[in-house]
Amino acid sequence: MPSDSSMPCGARIAGTGSAVPATVWTNDDLAKTLDTSDEWITQRTGIRQRHVCIAGDESAFSLQCEALSKALADAGMEASELDLIIVASVTNEMTCPSNACRVAAELGAAPAGAFDLVAACSGFVYSLNLADSLIRTGRHRAIGIVGCDAMSNVVDFNERTVSVLFGDAAGAAVIVRDDDPNKGCVYQTLQADGSGWKALFLPRKESDVPPESPPCDIEMGFLRMEGREVYRFAVSKFKNVIEDAMQATGLGVDDVSQFICHQSNIRIIESAKEKLGLPDDKVYVNIDRYGNTSAGSVGLCLDEIRRAGKIHEGETIILVAFGGGLTWASSVWNL
Ligand code: UT7
């Protein structure tokens, strides 16, 4: 429903929700068929287990519907009150129709606008920034956003360098108009550098693979990653993006209640924490339980943090992510 209001406004996170598949694979489970070990995976990544869509009725779509339903219930709203749904994912079942259209129909949000967004692991923060900006134009009142990936569908479990890192999850939020313009996103960045795309890509056919890509046994349709290159990019980007957000807003560490970071690798998170002097209790970590869930990760963290009572109205949080594309994004929110 388009808003007729031309008054300046802000935005509020009215509800959050998340969903993970029932099946859990521990590192020891992976080590039964792969040349790897719990010790290697835990030390190099911080991951102990991941949830995977194995049951026939579980998919990116089902996780997206469940997470957004929960976010609506948390907000005390009906799907019919949404005027837009954005689903960020690189693992949607089809490119046409968008999963957002199917989620909207499944939950009863039609004729709300609906589209998918591809920004890999940055997808949830991209969607959050977009939702805030669209609400501030006065044209939208309530937007459902979902970040979700079923990475188990696109990693080759016969190959150890990529498969141990990822898991499946969805995180959702309902963003609504607020009369207070100081509420919502007070600073944001949406950035990308496509010259780095070859570090992380999902080829459909041989011709998608750049000739200079190192030979590997990963089949078509499965994710390829230059782990060390992505690691270097992530470590520097994480620090720079948080630093930029704090400088631009004049915030100090004490002014921020939580830094909600994409869960890529515990070493990447620890490096940013150390360089910026962020205390343990302000940087949430759940990668040990879920692995890297790509677009699902930041929304899943936000939902768990809210439910644990770690953030409150009036506080400021900073959300940051980076991923394939290469993409990165930050979002500073006054709750
Ligand atoms: O969300 C954005 C997406 N991606 C990321 O954020 C990933 C960023 N990168 C990383 O997190 C790390 O680079 C990885 C976790 C992927 C890899 O860790 P690493 O410390 O960079 O390991 P490496 O690739 O340098 O490999 C070290 C050794 C190699 O053996 P050699 O050549 O030293 O004999 C690998 O073959 O570890 C070996 N190795 C493994 N060993 C046991 C690689 N994968 C495994 C494995 N189990 N699963």
Side-chain angles (χ1 to χ4, degrees):
M1 186 199 349
S3 166
D4 57 1
S5 174
S6 56
M7 296 291 288
C9 71
R12 186 164 53 82
I13 300 172
T16 59
S18 58
V20 292
T23 304
V24 173
W25 281 354
T26 64
N27 295 342
D28 284 333
D29 289 332
L30 294 185
K32 286 177 195 159
T33 54
L34 278 176
D35 180 16
T36 190
S37 63
D38 177 49
E39 191 190 3
W40 191 97
I41 302 172
T42 308
Q43 282 181 3
R44 300 283 179 134
T45 70
I47 299 165
R48 295 188 178 277
Q49 61 174 46
R50 71 284 296 142
H51 291 246
V52 288
C53 288
I54 293 298
D57 57 348
E58 288 177 332
S59 62
F61 172 68
S62 73
L63 296 178
Q64 290 157 9
C65 290
E66 186 182 338
L68 186 54
S69 295
K70 288 179 177 169
L72 283 162
D74 186 38
M77 289 170 63
E78 300 293 330
S80 56
E81 294 175 74
L82 296 176
D83 47 41
L84 184 66
I85 291 179
I86 305 171
V87 172
S89 182
V90 294
T91 53
N92 281 338
E93 289 75 18
M94 295 177 271
T95 50
C96 182
S98 68
N99 271 29
C101 284
R102 293 200 294 142
V103 169
E106 179 75 12
L107 301 191
F115 65 89
D116 290 352
L117 182 154
V118 175
C121 307
S122 312
F124 185 83
V125 183
Y126 261 58
S127 304
L128 190 62
N129 287 348
L130 198 53
D132 177 89
S133 301
L134 289 170
I135 284 172
R136 285 178 194 273
T137 65
R139 293 205 167 93
H140 294 274
R141 288 192 159 268
I143 302 179
I145 63 167
V146 189
C148 170
D149 272 305
M151 295 302 288
S152 62
N153 291 340
V154 296
V155 296
D156 181 348
F157 283 106
N158 296 313
E159 211 279 344
R160 67 179 184 175
T161 63
V162 181
S163 61
V164 301
L165 204 59
F166 294 96
D168 304 345
V174 174
I175 314 299
V176 298
R177 182 186 166 95
D178 193 283
D179 288 339
D180 181 353
N182 296 316
K183 274 208 165 149
C185 183
V186 290
Y187 179 76
Q188 59 164 274
T189 54
L190 286 184
Q191 296 182 311
D193 180 0
S195 68
W197 73 268
K198 293 161 197 163
L200 194 61
F201 67 105
L202 238 171
R204 286 193 178 149
K205 48 191 188 313
E206 288 290 348
S207 58
D208 293 336
V209 179
E212 66 272 29
S213 262
C216 74
D217 295 331
I218 298 175
E219 290 186 22
M220 287 302 122
F222 292 117
L223 188 71
R224 297 186 184 209
M225 181 177 76
E226 294 294 325
R228 285 181 207 179
E229 207 175 314
V230 179
Y231 188 91
R232 275 195 295 274
F233 157 73
V235 163
S236 73
K237 206 45 96 184
F238 239 143
K239 172 181 165 284
N240 295 348
V241 164
I242 296 176
E243 238 166 23
D244 164 73
M246 291 175 73
Q247 269 169 15
T249 52
L251 293 167
V253 172
D254 291 345
D255 304 316
V256 179
S257 71
Q258 286 289 323
F259 296 84
I260 305 179
C261 304
H262 169 48
Q263 307 285 300
S264 50
N265 181 324
I266 191 67
R267 288 153 55 209
I268 295 173
I269 298 171
E270 290 295 339
S271 154
K273 252 170 64 179
E274 198 179 302
K275 286 180 181 148
L276 296 165
L278 310 180
D280 285 350
D281 62 350
K282 289 195 175 195
V283 183
Y284 191 69
V285 171
N286 64 12
I287 192 170
D288 52 326
R289 286 177 286 136
Y290 303 111
N292 178 342
T293 59
S294 183
S297 115
V298 175
L300 176 62
C301 286
L302 175 64
D303 185 45
E304 289 196 337
I305 285 169
R306 261 182 110 240
R307 281 170 205 286
K310 288 178 182 283
I311 51 177
H312 310 94
E313 194 175 342
E315 292 179 353
T316 300
I317 59 173
I318 298 183
L319 305 99
V320 292
F322 65 88
L326 298 169
T327 56
W328 59 97
S330 65
S331 196
V332 181
W333 273 69
N334 286 339
L335 298 174

